Amino acid sequence: PLRLLAFLAAAAPALGWAHGDASREVRVAVRSGPVVIDGRIDEEAWAAAPWATDFVERKPRLRATPADATAFRVLYDSDALYVAVDCRDERPERILARTRARDVFAIFSDDAVSVKIDAAHDHRTTRGFVVNAGGARLDYLAPNGGRFQREWDAVWDGAAALTEDGWTAELRLPWSALRIDPSDPPERVGLNLTRDHPRRNASYDWSLMPPPHSPASAYLFGHLEGLRPEESSAKLAVTPYALGVAEEGAGRPVRRRERRRRR
């Protein structure tokens, strides 16, 4: 399998996969106000960024429309990218977040979202950032769509919150973690998001990663547009942020601490 994945990665440009799904594009917006990394998408700053929707089921029914909707939006400032994810679930009482430890692959068996970025836009190197519904985190590096190297550790923040309609997550990814110079960002970077939904034994992709491709195949990513090099860092807002994480006992579903509807 590893040899096949390596072959597919090398052959991707010739096979026309190097740019992923060309229809998958989302624009980033400049952060104009404070964003607290607590998992709740309730700050006014988020309204400046459009929602990206239309996730596609990878499993169990390839290319099917998921029964539960997922959407995300992206902001940036001179320090970081900010990603907000809204995961709807018609059975929120069955949301799972059994993993509590950092950098544990068991997180993919929980309700979790993965933000995957090809910062160099070379269609080869994926930096992945994962948050489950309880706020546990994993990061990894995956060169050429190969083995997830969880020994790669970046400095970033992520948190999750339960809502009346499912759960939400916020991530703050510093430019240093992405190896991007904030004074001269690229116009576009490779981007994909995946949601793991254990209640349905399902995975949903924004830009579909069909088998036998690796879930970290950067040549199949969509694109984040609008990181403007002409925007000087002095024009971008810099506001303190905070991280809030809630943990639950291992092996049990996450219990809802409150019922609230996202604005």
Side-chain angles (χ1 to χ4, degrees):
L2 291 178
R3 290 182 179 179
L4 176 59
L5 291 174
F7 166 76
L8 290 172
L15 294 175
W17 296 332
H19 298 289
D21 185 344
S23 68
R24 294 303 190 199
E25 296 182 352
V26 62
R27 293 199 65 82
V28 64
V30 175
R31 183 176 64 80
S32 59
V35 171
V36 178
I37 305 301
D38 59 2
R40 306 186 187 284
I41 314 171
D42 53 9
E43 296 90 353
E44 292 183 4
W46 286 115
W51 285 108
T53 58
D54 298 327
F55 278 63
V56 181
E57 194 166 294
R58 186 198 318 153
K59 67 172 187 178
R61 300 173 300 156
L62 186 64
R63 295 185 174 85
T65 299
D68 294 294
T70 309
F72 70 94
R73 59 203 333 175
V74 187
L75 298 172
Y76 80 110
D77 61 21
S78 61
D79 297 320
L81 278 180
Y82 301 79
V83 184
V85 191
D86 186 350
C87 302
R88 300 301 174 99
D89 196 321
E90 64 182 11
R91 297 289 303 276
E93 72 279 2
R94 295 183 60 184
I95 291 171
L96 293 178
R98 295 162 291 193
T99 302
R100 296 189 299 168
R102 175 77 185 263
D103 290 341
V104 176
F105 284 144
I107 198 171
F108 293 113
S109 296
D110 292 337
D111 279 278
V113 291
S114 305
V115 177
K116 309 168 191 181
I117 296 181
D118 171 17
H121 204 216
D122 61 7
H123 314 300
R124 292 182 180 276
T125 305
T126 297
R127 288 177 168 82
F129 305 88
V130 188
V131 177
N132 76 0
R137 294 183 292 150
L138 163 72
D139 51 24
Y140 64 85
L141 191 69
N144 296 315
R147 183 180 69 86
F148 286 20
Q149 299 175 4
R150 64 179 174 181
E151 60 270 20
W152 176 75
D153 285 317
V155 176
W156 62 285
D157 294 321
L162 297 168
T163 72
E164 196 169 79
D165 303 312
W167 65 285
T168 54
E170 289 177 310
L171 296 86
R172 181 184 184 274
L173 310 177
W175 297 119
S176 58
L178 302 176
R179 302 297 189 267
I180 289 178
D181 179 359
S183 67
D184 186 25
E187 280 285 349
R188 56 165 37 185
V189 299
L191 174 70
N192 206 3
L193 269 79
T194 295
R195 174 184 175 185
D196 291 299
H197 196 184
R199 180 172 65 81
R200 296 188 183 276
N201 191 29
S203 293
Y204 316 133
D205 295 322
W206 178 58
S207 183
L208 184 62
M209 319 288 286
H213 304 291
S214 162
S217 298
Y219 48 85
L220 291 175
F221 288 2
H223 294 107
L224 179 67
E225 306 276 357
L227 293 170
R228 300 180 296 278
E230 69 272 18
E231 188 81 51
S232 72
S233 59
K235 295 180 181 178
L236 301 180
V238 179
T239 303
Y241 64 93
L243 170 65
V245 175
E247 295 184 348
E248 297 289 338
R252 295 187 303 221
V254 172
R255 293 180 180 176
R256 304 169 67 197
R257 291 193 171 91
E258 62 177 343
R259 298 180 65 85
R260 67 190 295 273
R261 189 174 297 275
R262 183 179 61 82
R263 285 187 269 173

